[in-house]
Amino acid sequence: MLNDFILKTVNLNKSFRAEKNFFSSKTSGIKAVDNVSIKLKNGDVMGIAGESGSGKTTLAKIVSGLLDYDSGEVFINDRELKNYSRYELSKKVQMIFQDPFSSLNPKLSIGTAITEAIKTQNQNLSEKAIEILNMVGMAPDTMQKYPHQFSGGQRQRIAIARALASKPEIIIADEPVSSLDISVQAQIMNLFLDLKKTLGLSYIIISHDLNLLSAVSDNIAIMQNGKIIEYGQSEKIMDSPENPYTQRLISSILTINV
Ligand SMILES: Nc1ncnc2c1ncn2[C@@H]1O[C@H](COP(=O)(O)OP(=O)(O)O)[C@@H](O)[C@H]1O
Ligand SMILES: [Mg+2]
């Protein structure tokens, strides 16, 4: 089926040059993303897990168009990411960060931040912004307030509203709940699922919390040293992981939760 996959990478590679230091004259590269091929099906949630430094954020930034890559291909629908204009891409993919402060300008009221993102659409801007805030469970008086006036969970809701304002089809969420209280983590994850139903979104959600991730993901990819070392249906990965590294990741959450 054409367009069965809304996002796809083929043999994607990205290296960072390590800093030169006193002890080495050579600059050795860090392979942050190493030959990664992923396929996100339209309407699916793909979870990505793996320890810190395994390349998750680098991969997320590349497929969001925020970071260049060295080789390989990225497709959104059937068109190469490189062939999208910035504006076109903003209507396809939006990224949500761990710290919602980084996606919200502290000097802009929430109303201004959201209406800026919908400026291009011919609708009453504040009416539309209020409607989007409502979708993420925030009251109309949010419009006049500033980021610092909200809790972490509320700020993440606002960051999601701002991302939704461009009417994207894909949301890439990088550790979206890691900085939040445990009590609100599930609420934000559930918000993602609600929005998926009402807006027909597709997601890539990155988290080191495999329990949370498996509750929302159709498929899970495990990353280690820039590579996807295991990929499969959520339940399959959780119930019978094949790779020893995945097995260790899962047994470590079992130990913590005892
Ligand atoms: N801008 C950068 N410059 C140099 N090295 C980087 C940069 N961004 C990431 N890296 C390195 O790339 C690897 C993967 O990082 P990252 O994608 O942030 O992993 P993760 O999100 O899984 O923690 C790490 O070794 C990290 O130090
Ligand atoms: Mg990261």
Side-chain angles (χ1 to χ4, degrees):
M1 210 196 302
L2 209 69
N3 285 351
D4 197 18
F5 295 106
I6 194 164
L7 187 153
K8 189 168 86 171
T9 72
V10 184
N11 301 333
L12 192 65
N13 287 286
K14 171 74 180 177
S15 294
F16 290 108
R17 216 185 290 162
E19 301 259 310
K20 260 193 212 168
N21 65 32
F22 181 78
F23 301 102
S24 80
S25 53
K26 276 191 295 185
T27 52
S28 52
I30 297 165
K31 270 212 134 184
V33 170
D34 191 352
N35 220 30
V36 166
S37 301
I38 55 167
K39 285 176 173 179
L40 175 65
K41 233 171 115 190
N42 203 347
D44 264 11
V45 180
M46 182 190 295
I48 301 181
E51 66 197 348
S52 175
S54 56
K56 305 180 299 295
T57 296
T58 304
L59 177 62
K61 284 186 176 166
I62 291 172
V63 299
S64 304
L66 301 174
L67 187 67
D68 220 349
Y69 48 98
D70 302 332
S71 66
E73 289 159 309
V74 183
F75 292 94
I76 308 285
N77 295 127
D78 287 329
R79 193 167 147 206
E80 261 207 89
L81 181 112
K82 283 180 173 161
N83 297 329
Y84 283 86
S85 71
R86 231 184 132 104
Y87 172 69
E88 285 174 325
L89 197 59
S90 76
K91 302 194 65 75
K92 285 284 176 189
V93 191
Q94 286 284 323
M95 188 162 165
I96 309 266
F97 299 88
Q98 173 174 352
D99 171 17
F101 258 131
S102 59
S103 38
L104 298 169
N105 183 336
K107 292 187 184 136
L108 289 187
S109 74
I110 305 305
T112 309
I114 294 178
T115 51
E116 249 196 4
I118 45 180
K119 227 183 250 163
T120 46
Q121 295 146 32
N122 298 333
Q123 222 174 339
N124 181 318
L125 286 183
S126 26
E127 214 172 86
K128 184 69 191 165
I130 289 169
E131 198 182 298
I132 296 169
L133 283 168
N134 183 48
M135 279 199 263
V136 300
M138 297 298 290
D141 71 355
T142 303
M143 292 283 285
Q144 289 81 43
K145 297 183 180 168
Y146 289 81
H148 73 269
Q149 293 174 277
F150 296 95
S151 69
Q154 290 170 322
R155 270 202 294 275
Q156 196 56 293
R157 285 177 188 273
I158 293 165
I160 294 167
R162 191 172 184 285
L164 292 178
S166 307
K167 295 194 181 168
E169 295 171 26
I170 308 162
I171 298 272
I172 314 285
D174 188 7
E175 305 269 7
V177 299
S178 313
S179 67
L180 306 179
D181 289 344
I182 302 272
S183 59
V184 297
Q185 290 190 350
Q187 290 173 21
I188 296 292
M189 286 296 199
N190 282 328
L191 173 62
F192 282 135
L193 291 185
D194 288 346
L195 294 169
K196 181 173 109 112
K197 265 188 240 148
T198 50
L199 303 174
L201 297 167
S202 309
Y203 291 93
I204 292 179
I205 301 181
I206 294 170
S207 174
H208 59 265
D209 186 335
L210 265 170
N211 271 336
L212 262 186
L213 206 57
S214 62
V216 297
S217 305
D218 297 293
N219 296 292
I220 291 181
I222 307 289
M223 281 190 85
Q224 187 187 26
N225 298 328
K227 293 191 178 71
I228 307 264
I229 54 147
E230 185 155 8
Y231 175 77
Q233 273 192 320
S234 239
E235 303 92 69
K236 164 101 191 5
I237 298 270
M238 296 305 283
D239 295 344
S240 48
E242 280 171 16
N243 191 292
Y245 176 75
T246 313
Q247 290 165 1
R248 277 207 304 280
L249 273 187
I250 290 170
S251 61
S252 70
I253 54 173
L254 295 178
T255 326
I256 291 163
N257 290 341
V258 165

